[in-house]
Amino acid sequence: ATCETAHRGCDMTTGGTCGGFAGLVCRPDEWCDYGPGDMCGSFDALGLCRPRPDACPFIIMPVCGCDSTVHDNECFANMAGVDVWPSVDMCPAPPEP
């Protein structure tokens, strides 16, 4: 099971469809790019697999990734393999200490 999880998506073709209720995944070197307003695949929205960036500018413009993590900017979120929510305010608040 650990091996299957680590290699999930390896058999997919480059630039395929991702997301939706079926939970279609991209290759490990790609991220799922949802359309504007599709809110990280909500409501069975599908996206397209795009290559992950190799490098990103170090500009601090926080975004909320579809992984519910705040990333320094959209490029860093894509490098981590995720698209972004329309607003950083959509990320859950950090847990209380």
Side-chain angles (χ1 to χ4, degrees):
T2 303
C3 183
E4 287 176 8
T5 301
H7 297 284
R8 189 170 180 215
C10 288
D11 59 339
M12 305 299 289
T13 58
T14 301
T17 302
C18 50
F21 288 137
L24 302 172
V25 297
C26 295
R27 296 176 53 83
D29 59 347
E30 296 177 321
W31 62 281
C32 190
D33 183 10
Y34 294 103
D38 284 341
M39 300 183 56
C40 293
S42 298
F43 309 109
D44 200 27
L46 294 172
L48 293 175
C49 296
R50 308 264 187 225
R52 290 188 190 197
D54 292 326
C56 293
F58 194 71
I59 299 170
I60 305 298
M61 292 179 63
V63 295
C64 180
C66 294
D67 58 355
S68 297
T69 299
V70 175
H71 298 271
D72 287 337
N73 61 47
E74 189 169 352
C75 183
F76 281 114
N78 299 159
M79 187 184 280
V82 296
D83 201 358
V84 298
W85 286 96
S87 168
V88 72
D89 296 329
M90 299 181 93
C91 261
E96 295 287 326

